[in-house]
Amino acid sequence: MDKWWPYNVGSPPKVRPLQTAEGLGDRLRLIAFAERQAYHAFLEASERFCEAPQELLEAWKWVALEEQKHETWLVSRLEEMGQTLSSVPVCLNLYDSFARCNSAKEFALYIADAEERGRVGAERFAEVLKSRDPKTALIFAQIAAEEVKHIALVTRFF
């Protein structure tokens, strides 16, 4: 099976306004797909960068499962809202950028930066959505809190 299924990988359109159901769906879809890309990146890094300490390789496998959990939360919420993953194209830019890393350290630093950007974005969405859509806000707040542990791996190993 295609590791990106059921997403529609292609050229994404402009994200619609957050104030609309479609705009919120766009963000849930994009972030869910970012979590899917991170899942695969962490798993592949744990196999590709054999020079990394075994403890780090195992930690990356754990983080991959965390990313998969986050994706599941977001996809479930998207479906509760009556939207589908495949209705709007998403792109592989994030995954492609991880694939260009040439060492465990480069990957760790690069993905930690991506995780930090994701954490900040999730915190912002949680704040913006807390009165309008508390259920989605809670999901984003939980993701932001868990990303802190993922980012901490860089400090621990590098």
Side-chain angles (χ1 to χ4, degrees):
M1 183 190 309
D2 176 13
K3 66 183 171 187
W4 307 122
W5 183 88
Y7 293 93
N8 175 6
V9 177
S11 182
K14 184 177 177 184
V15 177
R16 293 169 280 194
L18 181 60
Q19 298 76 16
T20 66
E22 296 80 11
L24 179 55
D26 288 349
R27 284 156 183 84
L28 287 166
R29 186 179 300 102
L30 289 170
I31 297 166
F33 191 58
E35 299 286 355
R36 170 79 64 97
Q37 292 174 84
Y39 164 80
H40 285 290
F42 277 112
L43 280 186
E44 291 168 22
S46 73
E47 296 169 1
R48 185 172 155 212
F49 299 120
C50 300
E51 78 278 5
Q54 186 62 36
E55 191 179 355
L56 177 59
L57 299 176
E58 293 303 316
W60 282 344
K61 291 175 188 174
W62 168 76
V63 174
L65 295 176
E66 292 275 293
E67 303 295 355
Q68 186 176 53
K69 176 181 70 175
H70 297 166
E71 178 192 12
T72 300
W73 293 344
L74 295 163
V75 169
S76 294
R77 184 67 185 128
L78 185 70
E79 290 171 351
E80 286 173 5
M81 295 170 56
Q83 299 190 44
T84 62
L85 289 176
S86 61
S87 63
V88 177
V90 292
C91 70
L92 284 168
N93 290 348
L94 185 62
Y95 178 79
D96 291 342
S97 66
F98 297 146
R100 288 191 288 270
C101 294
N102 293 311
S103 69
K105 183 175 183 177
E106 182 182 1
F107 173 78
L109 293 172
Y110 193 88
I111 203 160
D113 184 59
E115 294 270 286
E116 176 61 16
R117 288 190 314 273
R119 183 195 65 75
V120 169
E123 282 182 350
R124 286 184 188 144
F125 282 135
E127 185 62 32
V128 167
L129 295 171
K130 74 178 174 186
S131 61
R132 183 178 121 211
D133 184 348
K135 190 169 187 177
T136 303
L138 188 60
I139 292 168
F140 281 123
Q142 185 63 38
I143 289 171
E146 292 185 8
E147 296 294 357
V148 171
K149 292 181 257 175
H150 307 168
I151 296 162
L153 289 173
V154 171
T155 307
R156 186 167 156 213
F157 289 95
F158 298 105

Short mmCIF file of all heavy atoms in Angstrom, two decimals, residues 56-97:
data_model
loop_
_atom_site.label_atom_id
_atom_site.label_comp_id
_atom_site.label_asym_id
_atom_site.label_seq_id
_atom_site.Cartn_x
_atom_site.Cartn_y
_atom_site.Cartn_z
N LEU A 56 19.11 6.64 20.82
CA LEU A 56 18.46 7.64 19.98
C LEU A 56 17.62 6.96 18.90
O LEU A 56 16.49 7.38 18.63
CB LEU A 56 19.49 8.57 19.33
CG LEU A 56 18.94 9.61 18.36
CD1 LEU A 56 17.92 10.52 19.04
CD2 LEU A 56 20.08 10.42 17.75
N LEU A 57 18.15 5.92 18.29
CA LEU A 57 17.40 5.20 17.26
C LEU A 57 16.09 4.66 17.84
O LEU A 57 15.03 4.73 17.19
CB LEU A 57 18.24 4.07 16.67
CG LEU A 57 19.54 4.51 15.98
CD1 LEU A 57 20.32 3.29 15.50
CD2 LEU A 57 19.27 5.46 14.83
N GLU A 58 16.14 4.14 19.06
CA GLU A 58 14.93 3.64 19.72
C GLU A 58 13.98 4.80 20.06
O GLU A 58 12.77 4.65 19.94
CB GLU A 58 15.29 2.85 20.98
CG GLU A 58 16.02 1.55 20.71
CD GLU A 58 15.25 0.61 19.78
OE1 GLU A 58 14.02 0.44 19.97
OE2 GLU A 58 15.88 0.02 18.87
N ALA A 59 14.54 5.91 20.45
CA ALA A 59 13.71 7.09 20.76
C ALA A 59 12.99 7.57 19.51
O ALA A 59 11.82 7.96 19.57
CB ALA A 59 14.57 8.20 21.35
N TRP A 60 13.67 7.54 18.37
CA TRP A 60 13.03 7.94 17.12
C TRP A 60 11.86 7.02 16.78
O TRP A 60 10.84 7.47 16.27
CB TRP A 60 14.04 7.97 15.98
CG TRP A 60 14.91 9.19 16.00
CD1 TRP A 60 14.72 10.36 16.68
CD2 TRP A 60 16.12 9.37 15.27
NE1 TRP A 60 15.74 11.24 16.43
CE2 TRP A 60 16.61 10.67 15.57
CE3 TRP A 60 16.85 8.56 14.40
CZ2 TRP A 60 17.77 11.17 15.01
CZ3 TRP A 60 18.01 9.07 13.85
CH2 TRP A 60 18.47 10.36 14.15
N LYS A 61 12.00 5.74 17.06
CA LYS A 61 10.88 4.81 16.82
C LYS A 61 9.70 5.16 17.71
O LYS A 61 8.54 5.10 17.29
CB LYS A 61 11.33 3.37 17.04
CG LYS A 61 12.32 2.88 16.00
CD LYS A 61 12.82 1.49 16.35
CE LYS A 61 13.95 1.08 15.42
NZ LYS A 61 14.55 -0.22 15.85
N TRP A 62 9.98 5.54 18.95
CA TRP A 62 8.93 5.95 19.87
C TRP A 62 8.26 7.24 19.37
O TRP A 62 7.02 7.34 19.36
CB TRP A 62 9.51 6.16 21.27
CG TRP A 62 8.57 6.87 22.20
CD1 TRP A 62 7.48 6.35 22.83
CD2 TRP A 62 8.62 8.25 22.56
NE1 TRP A 62 6.85 7.32 23.57
CE2 TRP A 62 7.54 8.49 23.43
CE3 TRP A 62 9.49 9.30 22.25
CZ2 TRP A 62 7.29 9.75 23.98
CZ3 TRP A 62 9.24 10.55 22.80
CH2 TRP A 62 8.16 10.76 23.66
N VAL A 63 9.07 8.21 18.93
CA VAL A 63 8.50 9.46 18.42
C VAL A 63 7.64 9.19 17.19
O VAL A 63 6.59 9.80 17.02
CB VAL A 63 9.60 10.51 18.12
CG1 VAL A 63 8.99 11.75 17.48
CG2 VAL A 63 10.33 10.90 19.40
N ALA A 64 8.06 8.27 16.34
CA ALA A 64 7.25 7.92 15.17
C ALA A 64 5.85 7.50 15.59
O ALA A 64 4.85 7.93 15.00
CB ALA A 64 7.93 6.81 14.36
N LEU A 65 5.76 6.70 16.64
CA LEU A 65 4.45 6.25 17.13
C LEU A 65 3.64 7.42 17.71
O LEU A 65 2.42 7.46 17.58
CB LEU A 65 4.62 5.15 18.16
CG LEU A 65 5.22 3.85 17.62
CD1 LEU A 65 5.43 2.85 18.76
CD2 LEU A 65 4.35 3.26 16.52
N GLU A 66 4.34 8.35 18.33
CA GLU A 66 3.67 9.56 18.83
C GLU A 66 3.09 10.37 17.67
O GLU A 66 1.97 10.87 17.75
CB GLU A 66 4.66 10.43 19.60
CG GLU A 66 5.14 9.82 20.90
CD GLU A 66 4.17 10.12 22.02
OE1 GLU A 66 4.03 11.28 22.42
OE2 GLU A 66 3.53 9.16 22.49
N GLU A 67 3.86 10.51 16.59
CA GLU A 67 3.40 11.25 15.42
C GLU A 67 2.18 10.55 14.81
O GLU A 67 1.22 11.20 14.40
CB GLU A 67 4.52 11.38 14.38
CG GLU A 67 5.79 12.04 14.87
CD GLU A 67 5.65 13.50 15.27
OE1 GLU A 67 4.58 14.10 15.10
OE2 GLU A 67 6.64 14.06 15.77
N GLN A 68 2.22 9.24 14.78
CA GLN A 68 1.09 8.47 14.26
C GLN A 68 -0.16 8.70 15.12
O GLN A 68 -1.26 8.84 14.60
CB GLN A 68 1.47 6.99 14.23
CG GLN A 68 0.45 6.10 13.56
CD GLN A 68 0.95 4.68 13.49
OE1 GLN A 68 1.36 4.10 14.49
NE2 GLN A 68 0.93 4.11 12.29
N LYS A 69 0.02 8.75 16.42
CA LYS A 69 -1.09 9.03 17.34
C LYS A 69 -1.68 10.41 17.06
O LYS A 69 -2.90 10.56 16.99
CB LYS A 69 -0.59 8.91 18.78
CG LYS A 69 -1.61 9.27 19.84
CD LYS A 69 -1.04 9.15 21.24
CE LYS A 69 -0.01 10.24 21.49
NZ LYS A 69 0.51 10.25 22.86
N HIS A 70 -0.82 11.40 16.88
CA HIS A 70 -1.30 12.75 16.59
C HIS A 70 -2.09 12.77 15.28
O HIS A 70 -3.15 13.41 15.20
CB HIS A 70 -0.13 13.74 16.50
CG HIS A 70 0.62 13.88 17.77
ND1 HIS A 70 1.86 14.50 17.83
CD2 HIS A 70 0.34 13.50 19.05
CE1 HIS A 70 2.29 14.48 19.08
NE2 HIS A 70 1.38 13.87 19.83
N GLU A 71 -1.57 12.09 14.28
CA GLU A 71 -2.28 12.03 13.00
C GLU A 71 -3.67 11.42 13.20
O GLU A 71 -4.66 11.94 12.68
CB GLU A 71 -1.50 11.20 11.97
CG GLU A 71 -2.25 11.09 10.66
CD GLU A 71 -1.67 10.07 9.70
OE1 GLU A 71 -0.80 9.26 10.11
OE2 GLU A 71 -2.12 10.06 8.54
N THR A 72 -3.75 10.37 13.97
CA THR A 72 -5.04 9.70 14.22
C THR A 72 -6.03 10.66 14.87
O THR A 72 -7.20 10.71 14.49
CB THR A 72 -4.83 8.45 15.10
OG1 THR A 72 -3.97 7.55 14.40
CG2 THR A 72 -6.15 7.77 15.41
N TRP A 73 -5.57 11.43 15.86
CA TRP A 73 -6.46 12.40 16.51
C TRP A 73 -7.00 13.41 15.49
O TRP A 73 -8.19 13.72 15.49
CB TRP A 73 -5.72 13.17 17.59
CG TRP A 73 -5.29 12.40 18.78
CD1 TRP A 73 -5.72 11.16 19.18
CD2 TRP A 73 -4.34 12.82 19.76
NE1 TRP A 73 -5.07 10.79 20.34
CE2 TRP A 73 -4.23 11.80 20.72
CE3 TRP A 73 -3.57 13.97 19.91
CZ2 TRP A 73 -3.38 11.89 21.82
CZ3 TRP A 73 -2.73 14.07 21.00
CH2 TRP A 73 -2.63 13.04 21.94
N LEU A 74 -6.10 13.93 14.66
CA LEU A 74 -6.48 14.97 13.69
C LEU A 74 -7.42 14.41 12.62
O LEU A 74 -8.40 15.06 12.25
CB LEU A 74 -5.23 15.58 13.07
CG LEU A 74 -4.35 16.35 14.05
CD1 LEU A 74 -2.95 16.56 13.47
CD2 LEU A 74 -4.99 17.67 14.44
N VAL A 75 -7.12 13.22 12.14
CA VAL A 75 -7.96 12.60 11.11
C VAL A 75 -9.35 12.31 11.68
O VAL A 75 -10.36 12.56 11.02
CB VAL A 75 -7.30 11.32 10.56
CG1 VAL A 75 -8.27 10.51 9.70
CG2 VAL A 75 -6.04 11.67 9.77
N SER A 76 -9.41 11.82 12.89
CA SER A 76 -10.70 11.55 13.53
C SER A 76 -11.52 12.83 13.64
O SER A 76 -12.73 12.84 13.36
CB SER A 76 -10.51 10.94 14.91
OG SER A 76 -9.93 9.67 14.81
N ARG A 77 -10.87 13.90 14.04
CA ARG A 77 -11.59 15.18 14.17
C ARG A 77 -12.06 15.67 12.81
O ARG A 77 -13.18 16.16 12.68
CB ARG A 77 -10.69 16.22 14.84
CG ARG A 77 -11.38 17.53 15.11
CD ARG A 77 -12.48 17.35 16.16
NE ARG A 77 -13.21 18.60 16.31
CZ ARG A 77 -14.53 18.69 16.25
NH1 ARG A 77 -15.27 17.62 16.07
NH2 ARG A 77 -15.12 19.86 16.38
N LEU A 78 -11.22 15.55 11.81
CA LEU A 78 -11.59 15.95 10.45
C LEU A 78 -12.83 15.18 9.99
O LEU A 78 -13.77 15.76 9.44
CB LEU A 78 -10.41 15.72 9.50
CG LEU A 78 -10.58 16.19 8.06
CD1 LEU A 78 -10.58 17.71 8.00
CD2 LEU A 78 -9.45 15.65 7.20
N GLU A 79 -12.83 13.89 10.23
CA GLU A 79 -13.97 13.05 9.84
C GLU A 79 -15.22 13.41 10.63
O GLU A 79 -16.33 13.41 10.08
CB GLU A 79 -13.61 11.58 10.00
CG GLU A 79 -12.59 11.13 8.96
CD GLU A 79 -12.04 9.73 9.19
OE1 GLU A 79 -12.29 9.13 10.26
OE2 GLU A 79 -11.33 9.25 8.28
N GLU A 80 -15.07 13.73 11.93
CA GLU A 80 -16.22 14.17 12.73
C GLU A 80 -16.84 15.43 12.15
O GLU A 80 -18.05 15.64 12.27
CB GLU A 80 -15.79 14.47 14.17
CG GLU A 80 -15.50 13.27 15.01
CD GLU A 80 -14.91 13.65 16.37
OE1 GLU A 80 -14.80 14.86 16.69
OE2 GLU A 80 -14.53 12.72 17.11
N MET A 81 -16.01 16.23 11.52
CA MET A 81 -16.48 17.48 10.91
C MET A 81 -17.06 17.24 9.51
O MET A 81 -17.47 18.18 8.85
CB MET A 81 -15.32 18.48 10.83
CG MET A 81 -14.82 18.92 12.19
SD MET A 81 -13.28 19.87 12.10
CE MET A 81 -13.73 21.19 11.00
N GLY A 82 -17.08 15.99 9.07
CA GLY A 82 -17.66 15.65 7.78
C GLY A 82 -16.75 15.92 6.59
O GLY A 82 -17.23 16.05 5.46
N GLN A 83 -15.45 15.99 6.83
CA GLN A 83 -14.50 16.23 5.74
C GLN A 83 -13.61 15.02 5.54
O GLN A 83 -13.50 14.18 6.43
CB GLN A 83 -13.68 17.48 6.05
CG GLN A 83 -14.55 18.72 6.18
CD GLN A 83 -13.74 19.99 6.25
OE1 GLN A 83 -12.79 20.16 5.50
NE2 GLN A 83 -14.09 20.86 7.17
N THR A 84 -12.99 14.95 4.38
CA THR A 84 -12.14 13.81 4.06
C THR A 84 -10.71 14.24 3.81
O THR A 84 -10.44 15.38 3.45
CB THR A 84 -12.65 13.06 2.82
OG1 THR A 84 -12.60 13.95 1.70
CG2 THR A 84 -14.06 12.55 3.00
N LEU A 85 -9.81 13.29 3.98
CA LEU A 85 -8.39 13.56 3.73
C LEU A 85 -8.12 13.82 2.25
O LEU A 85 -7.31 14.67 1.90
CB LEU A 85 -7.54 12.38 4.19
CG LEU A 85 -7.42 12.17 5.68
CD1 LEU A 85 -6.63 10.91 5.98
CD2 LEU A 85 -6.78 13.37 6.34
N SER A 86 -8.77 13.08 1.40
CA SER A 86 -8.43 13.13 -0.02
C SER A 86 -9.09 14.27 -0.78
O SER A 86 -8.79 14.47 -1.95
CB SER A 86 -8.80 11.80 -0.68
OG SER A 86 -10.19 11.57 -0.58
N SER A 87 -9.94 15.04 -0.13
CA SER A 87 -10.69 16.08 -0.85
C SER A 87 -9.83 17.26 -1.30
O SER A 87 -10.21 17.96 -2.23
CB SER A 87 -11.86 16.57 0.00
OG SER A 87 -11.40 17.17 1.18
N VAL A 88 -8.69 17.47 -0.65
CA VAL A 88 -7.82 18.60 -1.00
C VAL A 88 -6.38 18.07 -1.06
O VAL A 88 -5.94 17.37 -0.15
CB VAL A 88 -7.93 19.73 0.05
CG1 VAL A 88 -6.97 20.87 -0.27
CG2 VAL A 88 -9.36 20.24 0.15
N PRO A 89 -5.64 18.41 -2.13
CA PRO A 89 -4.25 17.92 -2.23
C PRO A 89 -3.35 18.47 -1.14
O PRO A 89 -3.56 19.57 -0.62
CB PRO A 89 -3.79 18.43 -3.60
CG PRO A 89 -5.02 18.78 -4.34
CD PRO A 89 -6.04 19.15 -3.32
N VAL A 90 -2.35 17.67 -0.79
CA VAL A 90 -1.29 18.04 0.16
C VAL A 90 0.04 17.76 -0.52
O VAL A 90 0.11 17.01 -1.48
CB VAL A 90 -1.42 17.25 1.48
CG1 VAL A 90 -2.66 17.65 2.25
CG2 VAL A 90 -1.43 15.75 1.21
N CYS A 91 1.12 18.37 -0.01
CA CYS A 91 2.42 18.17 -0.66
C CYS A 91 3.42 17.50 0.26
O CYS A 91 3.26 17.48 1.48
CB CYS A 91 2.96 19.49 -1.19
SG CYS A 91 3.48 20.63 0.10
N LEU A 92 4.46 16.96 -0.35
CA LEU A 92 5.51 16.20 0.36
C LEU A 92 6.73 17.03 0.71
O LEU A 92 7.79 16.47 1.00
CB LEU A 92 5.95 15.02 -0.50
CG LEU A 92 5.00 13.84 -0.55
CD1 LEU A 92 5.40 12.87 -1.64
CD2 LEU A 92 4.98 13.14 0.79
N ASN A 93 6.63 18.34 0.73
CA ASN A 93 7.81 19.17 0.98
C ASN A 93 8.51 18.83 2.28
O ASN A 93 9.74 18.79 2.33
CB ASN A 93 7.44 20.65 0.97
CG ASN A 93 7.08 21.15 -0.41
OD1 ASN A 93 7.31 20.47 -1.40
ND2 ASN A 93 6.50 22.34 -0.47
N LEU A 94 7.77 18.60 3.33
CA LEU A 94 8.37 18.31 4.63
C LEU A 94 9.17 17.01 4.57
O LEU A 94 10.34 16.97 4.95
CB LEU A 94 7.28 18.24 5.70
CG LEU A 94 7.72 18.07 7.14
CD1 LEU A 94 8.57 19.25 7.59
CD2 LEU A 94 6.50 17.93 8.05
N TYR A 95 8.55 15.96 4.09
CA TYR A 95 9.22 14.66 3.99
C TYR A 95 10.45 14.75 3.08
O TYR A 95 11.51 14.24 3.42
CB TYR A 95 8.24 13.61 3.47
CG TYR A 95 8.87 12.26 3.29
CD1 TYR A 95 9.06 11.42 4.38
CD2 TYR A 95 9.27 11.81 2.04
CE1 TYR A 95 9.63 10.17 4.23
CE2 TYR A 95 9.84 10.57 1.88
CZ TYR A 95 10.02 9.75 2.98
OH TYR A 95 10.60 8.52 2.82
N ASP A 96 10.30 15.41 1.95
CA ASP A 96 11.42 15.55 1.03
C ASP A 96 12.59 16.28 1.68
O ASP A 96 13.75 15.95 1.44
CB ASP A 96 10.99 16.27 -0.25
CG ASP A 96 10.05 15.43 -1.11
OD1 ASP A 96 10.00 14.19 -0.92
OD2 ASP A 96 9.37 16.01 -1.97
N SER A 97 12.29 17.26 2.52
CA SER A 97 13.36 18.00 3.19
C SER A 97 14.08 17.12 4.21
O SER A 97 15.30 17.20 4.35
CB SER A 97 12.82 19.28 3.85
OG SER A 97 11.94 18.97 4.90
#
